[in-house]
Structure formats: C-alpha cells, structure tokens
Amino acid sequence: MIHTTPNGSQQQRARTAALRLAGLQSRDIEKFARDAAMGIAQELMKHNIPIASKRVRPDVGHVQIDMIIIEEKVTTPEPGMRLQFEVEGNMGVTFNVKLLEFLDDPAGYITDLFKQLGPMRRNVQRMRTHKRAADAAIYKALTQGAANG
C-alpha cells in the first residue's frame, strides 16, 4: 500500500472515485474528510490517548492530520486521511483512514480503530522487551566472551 500527499492529478482521480462511489459533490469531499479527521482526533483527545510530541504537528490537540491519496496495486487511488500521534512509552501511531470505507460505517470504523489501539500497544511493548533482551544477550556475549577468550 502506498500513501502519498496528493498532487493535482491524484486529487482529481480520488475526487472522481469518491464522487462515483459515494455520490459526494467534489467540493464536499475535502471538507468532509477534514471534518471526519477532526472528529476522530477530538475523540482520541477526549480519551487522553495522544500525548504532546515534538515529532508530530499538533493540528487538533496532539494529533497531526494530513489528507492523503491511498494507492493499492489492485484498486484505484482513493482519498484518505492520515492521523498521527504519540502515546505513552514514546510510541508513534499512524492511522490511515480510507474515506470511502469510513463513509460506509463511520461509527463502526472508529470503534474498530479504538479496538486496535490496545493490542497494537501490547505487541509493540512485547517486541521492545524481546529486543532489549536480545540486545543484552548479544552485548553480554561480546563483552564477556571477548574478556574470557
């Protein structure tokens, strides 16, 4: 999956796809996407999920919002929105939301995003713990092995 900042022709293709599939007026697509992204960001902020970060532009609270074009090899480019933020533990989170999927069931889409946050965080913490243990074992082997050899 490729995510790009839209240029003129990509924006036009995405608008055409959205118009055809969702029945929106072209001027309404970007406004709807921005409003939807702001709503998601506000919901995240309401639950104190994002934290202040120097790596993320604070567009809405501590959440950075970008309008993007999502391109997959098997589908046509479509409009999307990217929400980026940090959570405790110095972990960055990026949500790429496909606008047309979001339109089908906004509440369900948001519910699914929130359900994914907990398991994602646990998996990252588990990977970090395993990496620290592996790094410690390698360091021990290098330093103690070389000293005893």
Side-chain angles (χ1 to χ4, degrees):
M1 188 179 310
I2 300 170
H3 307 285
T4 59
T5 303
N7 65 27
S9 66
Q10 289 173 325
Q11 283 180 329
Q12 185 56 42
R13 287 191 321 223
R15 284 189 184 111
T16 301
L19 283 169
R20 192 171 52 248
L21 296 172
L24 291 174
Q25 298 289 328
S26 61
R27 65 183 177 275
D28 296 332
I29 295 170
E30 191 167 333
K31 182 183 180 332
F32 177 81
R34 289 201 186 282
D35 290 347
M38 287 176 61
I40 295 168
Q42 289 167 349
E43 190 67 21
L44 290 164
M45 291 301 298
K46 185 168 52 172
H47 294 282
N48 297 316
I49 294 172
I51 61 170
S53 167
K54 292 182 180 180
R55 295 186 292 179
V56 176
R57 184 180 67 238
D59 294 332
V60 175
H62 304 303
V63 180
Q64 177 176 326
I65 298 172
D66 296 298
M67 296 301 108
I68 60 173
I69 302 298
I70 299 173
E71 297 180 79
E72 298 174 328
K73 291 182 180 186
V74 296
T75 63
T76 59
E78 63 180 284
M81 44 204 163
R82 176 181 294 139
L83 288 86
Q84 294 177 295
F85 54 94
E86 280 193 31
V87 296
E88 289 180 31
N90 199 27
M91 289 184 222
V93 177
T94 300
F95 284 144
N96 292 311
V97 178
K98 291 182 176 182
L99 183 59
L100 300 177
E101 286 181 14
F102 178 80
L103 283 170
D104 285 341
D105 181 16
Y109 202 99
I110 299 305
T111 301
D112 288 345
L113 286 178
F114 273 84
K115 283 181 183 177
Q116 292 176 30
L117 273 175
M120 283 174 23
R121 183 181 170 130
R122 282 190 298 278
N123 288 339
V124 169
Q125 287 175 326
R126 192 174 308 126
M127 287 182 350
R128 283 183 176 178
T129 300
H130 293 313
K131 183 172 179 350
R132 277 189 224 115
D135 289 348
I138 291 170
Y139 178 79
K140 183 177 179 181
L142 290 173
T143 57
Q144 293 179 2
N148 293 331

